[in-house]
Amino acid sequence: MNTLTNTNELSQLLTGVNVFQNLSVPQLVEKVLSRDEAVLTSTGAIRATTGAYTGRSPRDKFIVREASVEEKIDWGAVNQPISSEAFDQLYHKVISYLKEKNELFVFKGFAGADERYRLPIQVVNEFAWHNLFAHQLFIRPQGDDLNHHENPFTVISAPNFKADPAVDGTNSETFIIISFEKRTILIGGTEYAGEMKKSIFSIMNFLLPEQGIMPMHCSANVGQEGDVALFFGLSGTGKTTLSADASRKLIGDDEHGWSNRGVFNIEGGCYAKCINLSAEKEPQIHNAIRFGSVLENVVVNEDTRAADYDHVFYTENTRAAYPLEAIDNILTPSVAGHPSAIIFLTADAFGVLPPISKLTKEQAMYHFLSGYTSKLAGTERGVTSPQATFSTCFGSPFLPLKANVYAEMLGKKIAEHEVDVYLVNTGWTGGEYGTGSRMKLEYTRAMVQAALEGDLQHTEMVKDEIFGLQIPLHVPGVPDSVLIPSSTWENQEAYKQKASELAAKFHENFKKFSSVPNEIEELGGPVFR
């Protein structure tokens, strides 16, 4: 089956009378409820459940091995290859399956808020609630935008279609397959809506670097003077909390591109975790969950239809999807200038990284490649002490290219635009998890504010003897006593042992970057051997 055959099959599918394209939010909500796909909550949001799969299925994600991408993809556990023949076979099966549906839903829009670089996309859904999710998460067309919607990258999502691994070449009944040559993402066997969002991010991580644009898994905001800040960090490090600042406008909370003109949001909405969500702690997210928003796997009271964000009956990975416009104080459109500051966030449960330190370009590339944070004791069965976790470029599951491609782009942009880069530890101080204490949020906020306002550019610094990081001796609003991690530990030998242990983990993890210049580790990594 060639590309033309695939295109014709899709065109025939989408010309049916049962295909609804770009329905409005009220129309989609009506469809969702009439089809019994979800329930209406007390705030007007709809709540859907996703069955057996309440998160991403990384073992079921594939990229078609095609001549045009063969030498570019970083093949391995993250980017598993599958043949064109297997893709075409599944494609034909999925299209045939969808032809039998009474209704289908199509969203046509874009990825990329900057019109100069945006990617036309279309999302074909078996479920109306998935189409509402796509409508809220991606960039919605305005005016005559769809007159310029040629050759879109298509997501085809058929959750109730299940693969046969023995016949279809998959690892399970679930599959997420990207074909770059056929500009198609095929999803089946999972109802988890996040697969659509992250698949689009994955293809942007492939396509944008070819245009000289750096794709980034980060949040971004902008100050009153137009100063842009980027926040990189894994789950639990405070990325969403710290980028939500009443004095700065939000550009986006998760995915961005950095072109030669500046930063732009890839998405048109937010996909926020809402476990333990409260109006007091995270008012922006809480208030955004209203009519048109999509809740995933959140427990809802049968009588009052009120959401119970503290309950984990379905999963801890409860989610809320809503458009950016549901948040106050956003930048419209989501396009800004070059960053003046980059913040790498880590929650170090070993208690040995400084609460804030200034990075050289090489250190920035090293810590970007490392993407370090830590799992805490008790979060998983068998985890009895903090465990180091590394996610390349703070987003390893979504990187089709080799890691050095993204790191080199970061290094060049830092140098070209003279960006200040800081590593901020939102984790433990005075000892590791269980002995020390979590860094106070008010101190972290003060340190981030000082970094963004330029207060640390000329302050006195001292070099950490193990990690080689430059630590400020004074930060407005923060006691000097908490800035040097070793001084917060009562037992200095215990501190050195724990710091050396973490440094060794950094070195061990970095061995996988065989294509990265040695100078990045030599100049950017821990100095302890």
Side-chain angles (χ1 to χ4, degrees):
M1 186 182 300
N2 59 33
T3 303
L4 182 59
T5 304
N6 285 347
T7 302
N8 289 339
E9 274 200 288
L10 182 62
S11 298
Q12 291 172 9
L13 175 70
L14 299 186
T15 54
V17 294
N18 60 341
V19 177
F20 300 93
Q21 179 178 302
N22 280 49
L23 293 182
S24 67
V25 168
Q27 288 173 320
L28 281 170
V29 171
E30 288 175 350
K31 284 290 185 183
V32 169
L33 298 177
S34 67
R35 290 161 54 94
D36 293 324
E37 293 181 356
V39 299
L40 192 67
T41 70
S42 59
T43 65
I46 61 118
R47 189 291 311 268
T49 56
T50 63
Y53 298 93
T54 58
R56 290 184 300 102
S57 301
R59 289 192 66 253
D60 299 306
K61 178 183 171 186
F62 300 88
I63 295 176
V64 180
R65 192 182 286 277
E66 297 161 322
S68 62
V69 302
E70 173 73 33
E71 301 302 320
K72 299 176 183 178
I73 301 296
D74 186 19
W75 301 107
V78 171
N79 301 306
Q80 301 177 99
I82 196 168
S83 69
S84 292
E85 292 76 16
F87 174 83
D88 285 342
Q89 177 175 280
L90 263 175
Y91 183 94
H92 178 71
K93 288 182 178 181
V94 170
I95 295 295
S96 297
Y97 167 81
L98 291 176
K99 284 180 179 178
E100 302 301 317
K101 298 291 109 179
N102 291 329
E103 296 179 321
L104 293 178
F105 304 90
V106 179
F107 168 78
K108 290 190 175 184
F110 302 90
D114 192 324
E115 294 184 1
R116 292 162 291 202
Y117 312 113
R118 69 185 184 182
L119 176 74
I121 64 170
Q122 67 177 347
V123 185
V124 181
N125 296 115
E126 176 183 3
F127 293 167
W129 84 262
H130 274 187
N131 202 247
L132 177 60
F133 175 93
H135 182 283
Q136 304 295 41
L137 259 291
F138 300 120
I139 295 175
R140 296 158 289 282
Q142 306 292 326
D144 64 352
D145 280 352
L146 292 184
N147 293 335
H148 312 282
H149 197 263
E150 298 85 10
N151 196 23
F153 220 108
T154 300
V155 178
I156 303 174
S157 175
N160 283 336
F161 178 88
K162 294 176 171 43
D164 181 346
V167 174
D168 297 317
T170 59
N171 291 329
S172 75
E173 65 184 17
T174 299
F175 54 92
I176 305 97
I177 308 177
I178 298 172
S179 169
F180 283 102
E181 289 190 356
K182 292 160 186 169
R183 296 177 70 81
T184 299
I185 300 166
L186 203 58
I187 301 175
T190 175
E191 298 179 35
Y192 182 64
E195 296 288 11
M196 294 183 287
K197 164 189 161 69
K198 289 305 184 184
S199 293
I200 291 294
F201 185 44
S202 294
I203 65 169
M204 295 297 275
N205 280 333
F206 180 87
L207 297 173
L208 289 180
E210 294 189 336
Q211 303 176 64
I213 299 169
M214 181 183 175
M216 304 175 294
H217 190 201
C218 70
S219 59
N221 63 25
V222 59
Q224 296 178 0
E225 304 300 321
D227 52 307
V228 174
L230 305 180
F231 297 81
F232 291 83
L234 301 178
S235 179
T237 58
K239 181 177 64 172
T240 300
T241 300
L242 292 169
S243 61
D245 186 331
S247 65
R248 301 175 65 86
K249 290 186 176 182
L250 183 70
I251 301 170
D253 79 332
D254 198 45
E255 301 169 6
H256 294 82
W258 185 356
S259 73
N260 59 4
R261 297 173 181 268
V263 170
F264 61 90
N265 195 350
I266 289 174
E267 301 180 299
C270 302
Y271 190 40
K273 289 183 177 179
C274 47
I275 187 67
N276 300 322
L277 178 67
S278 70
E280 295 73 28
K281 293 179 181 178
E282 294 177 286
Q284 285 190 329
I285 297 174
H286 189 275
N287 295 337
I289 301 173
R290 48 185 188 256
F291 182 77
S293 298
V294 178
L295 292 175
E296 269 186 304
N297 298 315
V298 173
V299 170
V300 173
N301 185 285
E302 290 187 5
D303 297 322
T304 66
R305 290 293 192 260
D308 180 356
Y309 297 116
D310 297 326
H311 208 297
V312 294
F313 177 77
Y314 300 106
T315 177
E316 287 192 10
N317 187 35
T318 52
R319 294 277 183 165
Y322 48 85
L324 275 170
E325 292 77 14
I327 296 180
D328 296 329
N329 203 30
I330 62 170
L331 183 67
T332 305
S334 306
V335 180
H338 297 289
S340 56
I342 295 174
I343 307 293
F344 292 158
L345 298 167
T346 183
D348 173 34
F350 294 88
V352 296
L353 286 180
I356 187 167
S357 51
K358 195 170 189 299
L359 307 183
T360 64
K361 183 186 77 171
E362 291 76 17
Q363 287 174 329
M365 295 171 71
Y366 182 90
H367 284 275
F368 179 65
L369 284 165
S370 298
Y372 164 71
T373 192
S374 46
K375 291 180 182 178
L376 303 182
T379 57
E380 293 182 12
R381 182 181 301 174
V383 179
T384 57
S385 61
Q387 293 186 356
T389 299
F390 298 92
S391 182
T392 306
C393 305
F394 298 98
S396 60
F398 321 115
L399 305 181
L401 306 177
K402 295 184 184 301
N404 65 293
V405 172
Y406 307 102
E408 288 171 6
M409 292 189 83
L410 177 70
K412 289 178 181 177
K413 288 187 175 295
I414 288 173
E416 180 181 355
H417 301 288
E418 300 181 339
V419 186
D420 292 325
V421 185
Y422 297 90
L423 179 66
V424 172
N425 175 20
T426 63
W428 272 254
T429 181
E432 65 179 309
Y433 175 79
T435 302
S437 58
R438 190 83 188 248
M439 183 64 60
K440 291 183 178 180
L441 180 58
E442 64 182 284
Y443 293 164
T444 301
R445 287 192 186 279
M447 287 184 274
V448 169
Q449 181 179 355
L452 299 188
E453 293 182 355
D455 294 341
L456 304 183
Q457 289 182 346
H458 306 293
T459 192
E460 186 179 0
M461 301 267 185
V462 62
K463 186 176 182 179
D464 183 277
E465 63 178 3
I466 292 178
F467 295 98
L469 303 168
Q470 293 294 325
I471 307 171
L473 294 178
H474 309 286
V475 176
V478 182
D480 294 346
S481 58
V482 307
L483 295 174
I484 310 298
S486 60
S487 66
T488 66
W489 284 57
E490 292 184 4
N491 187 326
Q492 292 300 297
E493 286 304 312
Y495 164 79
K496 288 182 180 180
Q497 179 179 345
K498 191 59 63 174
S500 298
E501 179 184 331
L502 180 58
K505 291 181 182 297
F506 268 95
H507 285 305
E508 183 62 29
N509 173 71
F510 214 80
K511 289 179 181 178
K512 64 189 178 188
F513 301 120
S514 57
S515 58
V516 174
N518 291 334
E519 66 179 14
I520 301 303
E521 182 172 20
E522 293 170 357
L523 299 177
V527 297
F528 172 80
R529 294 292 190 274

